[in-house]
Amino acid sequence: MNSNKDPLINYIHLEETCTIRLSQSKKLKKAEQKTYTVEEAVEAIGFGRFHILLLCIMGSTNVAEAMEIMLLAVISPIIRCEWLLEEWQVAMVTTIVFLGFMVFSGIWGFFADRYGRWKILLISTIWSSYYSGLTSFAHTYGWFVFLRSMVGCGVSGHSQGFILMTEFMPSKYRGRILPLGQIFWLTGSTAEILLAYLIVPTLGWRWLVRISTLPSIILLVVFKCIPESARYSVSVGNTQNAKQTLDYIAKMNRSCLPQGSLIKTQMAKRGSIFDLIDSEYRRTTLQCCFIWLGTAFAYYGLVLTSSELLENNPICGDTTGSNEPNSLEICHCKMFKDADYQTMIISTLGEFMFVPFSSFIIETLGRRNSLAATMGASGIFFLLLNICNSRALLTTLLFILRALVSANFIIIYIYTAEVYPTIMRSLGLGSCSSMARIGAMIAPFIAQVLLTSWPIVALCLFSAVCITCSILAFTLPIETKGREMQEIKPVPNGL
């Protein structure tokens, strides 16, 4: 009797087993079908130890860049004396440096979108440190200008460090953390002024140049701690490398990736200059380019204007109380004094003033309104410089104005990195940065040439540009606050 029931019982058991296995197989297959994007992975990992390391290393590229740029301001009186230069020749040094910066910003951005942010950052840092070291051996004005222009070409690639920070940072932390990168720029600027104060009177300007190269050399050693951007890897179809990078970040942050597998993408067409001016981004690109131009024009114009106002304030006339030129003035020599270095440091420290409030302002008002407010305020304070002031009041105005023009740079950097998709992000930032260098190239002739003859005209010109940029910022078509970073270009009407 039992033997007659065995086949039926066995069949029922077999059917139940098959059903269970089929159910498990479906669940496993369903789990395998789960996917996630880099954006979702970055958000799931959150902010942690990796991002602190990222901020310290990539932020330090700002230290190196700031020292190379500020070097132009502190060294101007020295080379004017050594080679008996005219005002336009001194201004030409800064202009040629930013010409190299302008030409190579777009080139580095183009290659970064094709070969990776990390590689271009490494190459550009090697380039800038090499030519910076050579500058210290220049014995003629012509060689000095050429070698500094090569430094400008290399330094322009440092913006890839900011791109890497932006692409690794969770969305809710971008507005809070990225402005802190300005601290590194301010550290570099302040350090360069202090080094000039200590080194130039004793060892000379050539040793100042050599020591100013050291941060770039140190960066070459620590770059290996930061991987290539996972967003970039996915955009070129290298999903395996992107997954390894995300695993590394999750492990450092003691976090976990989402369940499933990273979405594999087709090899995306890389962005071109024509994508920046098509129907989706034309207005954004044009307005951003002019804002970048005005931001750099105001920032570097103020840095150089500060030097001129300290050397010989053209607004108040001769501050020495004597109309007789001394022997140094006849020889084109008018070196900075201790009080001048102190005022430069105080005005530079003014940039720190915005940092504690930057995250709150940017996140509360949004990118566009914040930029419009700081640009408009910059224009007003440029006008106030037209008033003949005591050194104390002049220092106060320069202190506040440095905070405002620095804020302009912080906000426009964040906005530009967020508004463009991954396939053209470096190209977009690089192209806008190139336009900024046009403003930086013009600034020396306004701050060091026009200011000495027509100071009111020069300062009013700086003010007018800032106010125009304020209007353009307020009317930007896209607000990026809280917006996911785009990986590819949206379809028409998809914004």
Side-chain angles (χ1 to χ4, degrees):
M1 183 174 179
N2 292 335
S3 62
N4 292 334
K5 290 184 179 180
D6 284 343
L8 180 61
I9 294 173
N10 289 338
Y11 176 78
I12 293 173
H13 285 175
L14 180 61
E15 188 176 51
E16 290 176 349
T17 301
C18 290
T19 302
I20 293 172
R21 288 181 178 178
L22 182 61
S23 176
Q24 291 175 342
S25 177
K26 286 182 178 179
K27 289 181 179 179
L28 181 61
K29 188 174 181 180
K30 185 177 181 180
E32 290 177 349
Q33 287 178 345
K34 285 186 177 180
T35 59
Y36 59 88
T37 64
V38 175
E39 177 77 19
E40 292 169 340
V42 168
E43 297 298 328
I45 293 173
F47 183 85
R49 291 187 298 174
F50 170 79
H51 297 92
I52 296 174
L53 179 66
L54 177 72
L55 177 64
C56 292
I57 295 178
M58 293 299 104
S60 295
T61 61
N62 287 337
V63 174
E65 181 178 349
M67 292 181 72
E68 295 292 356
I69 298 301
M70 185 57 67
L71 179 67
L72 300 175
V74 297
I75 211 173
S76 294
I78 307 167
I79 63 171
R80 177 190 289 136
C81 175
E82 181 164 335
W83 289 310
L84 304 180
L85 303 178
E86 300 294 337
E87 297 293 342
W88 69 268
Q89 290 176 302
V90 177
M92 184 61 69
V93 175
T94 305
T95 296
I96 294 299
V97 168
F98 284 118
L99 176 62
F101 205 125
M102 180 193 72
V103 172
F104 270 74
S105 288
I107 294 175
W108 291 131
F110 177 85
F111 284 120
D113 280 335
R114 280 157 177 75
Y115 304 109
R117 288 78 162 102
W118 190 92
K119 292 178 183 177
I120 296 305
L121 180 60
L122 179 66
I123 293 171
S124 64
T125 303
I126 294 173
W127 178 308
S128 61
S129 58
Y130 172 74
Y131 282 105
S132 181
L134 285 183
T135 303
S136 65
F137 298 99
H139 289 284
T140 65
Y141 170 73
W143 272 110
F144 181 84
V145 171
F146 170 74
L147 292 173
R148 291 312 297 179
S149 70
M150 291 295 100
V151 175
C153 293
V155 167
S156 64
H158 287 184
S159 62
Q160 298 310 314
F162 187 83
I163 292 289
L164 280 169
M165 283 198 295
T166 304
E167 294 187 339
F168 278 127
M169 200 68 65
S171 59
K172 71 176 182 178
Y173 289 98
R174 287 200 296 267
R176 304 176 188 177
I177 302 300
L178 293 180
L180 298 181
Q182 187 67 10
I183 294 176
F184 294 90
W185 175 276
L186 305 178
T187 301
S189 299
T190 306
E192 189 64 29
I193 299 172
L194 288 172
L195 286 173
Y197 175 72
L198 297 173
I199 295 173
V200 171
T202 55
L203 300 176
W205 68 268
R206 298 180 188 277
W207 275 103
L208 174 63
V209 174
R210 292 163 191 159
I211 294 174
S212 299
T213 308
L214 291 178
S216 295
I217 297 174
I218 295 173
L219 280 173
L220 295 175
V221 179
V222 299
F223 274 160
K224 64 180 181 180
C225 299
I226 302 299
E228 178 58 86
S229 166
R231 294 181 190 272
Y232 165 78
S233 297
V234 166
S235 73
V236 296
N238 194 349
T239 311
Q240 181 179 1
N241 187 68
K243 180 63 165 56
Q244 291 174 351
T245 297
L246 294 171
D247 284 334
Y248 167 71
I249 298 173
K251 184 177 179 180
M252 276 199 69
N253 284 8
R254 297 176 181 176
S255 184
C256 298
L257 292 174
Q259 290 186 347
S261 59
L262 184 62
I263 291 179
K264 297 180 180 180
T265 59
Q266 297 288 332
M267 183 73 83
K269 178 184 176 183
R270 314 314 299 156
S272 70
I273 194 67
F274 299 104
D275 292 322
L276 297 177
I277 55 175
D278 66 7
S279 58
E280 285 89 19
Y281 289 103
R282 183 184 302 116
R283 182 180 163 189
T284 299
T285 298
L286 293 176
Q287 290 185 220
C288 279
C289 281
F290 190 86
I291 294 172
W292 272 84
L293 187 154
T295 300
F297 179 69
Y299 182 87
Y300 295 111
L302 178 62
V303 170
L304 298 172
T305 295
S306 300
S307 300
E308 293 299 321
L309 292 176
L310 294 174
E311 276 191 86
N312 183 23
N313 192 336
I315 301 296
C316 299
D318 185 9
T319 57
T320 63
S322 173
N323 295 323
E324 296 181 3
N326 56 42
S327 59
L328 287 179
E329 290 173 336
I330 294 174
C331 294
H332 300 265
C333 296
K334 192 179 290 185
M335 298 297 185
F336 284 148
K337 300 176 182 177
D338 290 353
D340 297 328
Y341 283 114
Q342 292 169 7
T343 301
M344 288 184 70
I345 291 175
I346 293 172
S347 63
T348 301
L349 291 176
E351 297 189 35
F352 282 100
M353 189 174 71
F354 179 76
V355 174
F357 309 102
S358 58
S359 299
F360 173 78
I361 294 173
I362 293 172
E363 288 298 314
T364 303
L365 299 181
R367 281 49 162 167
R368 293 181 301 186
N369 292 339
S370 299
L371 184 57
T374 55
M375 271 292 188
S378 299
I380 294 172
F381 274 88
F382 265 115
L383 287 178
L384 293 178
L385 288 178
N386 281 297
I387 304 172
C388 180
N389 300 308
S390 63
R391 177 175 284 269
L393 187 52
L394 175 62
T395 301
T396 302
L397 290 175
L398 293 176
F399 181 88
I400 297 173
L401 194 48
R402 282 293 287 269
L404 292 171
V405 296
S406 172
N408 298 334
F409 252 130
I410 294 174
I411 302 169
I412 193 59
Y413 253 110
I414 294 175
Y415 179 85
T416 308
E418 290 179 337
V419 77
Y420 291 113
T422 299
I423 62 170
M424 53 191 279
R425 184 169 295 122
S426 287
L427 178 61
L429 186 63
S431 299
C432 289
S433 184
S434 292
M435 292 298 297
R437 306 318 144 185
I438 295 178
M441 288 164 57
I442 300 171
F445 290 96
I446 306 301
Q448 293 177 313
V449 179
L450 184 62
L451 186 71
T452 57
S453 302
W454 302 90
I456 294 178
V457 175
L459 294 174
C460 286
L461 182 58
F462 284 122
S463 176
V465 170
C466 288
I467 292 173
T468 302
C469 288
S470 175
I471 297 171
L472 290 174
F474 186 75
T475 58
L476 281 167
I478 303 173
E479 172 57 72
T480 61
K481 174 190 171 184
R483 178 176 178 258
E484 286 189 2
M485 296 189 73
Q486 307 295 303
E487 302 300 332
I488 60 174
K489 285 181 60 180
V491 296
N493 299 324
L495 291 178

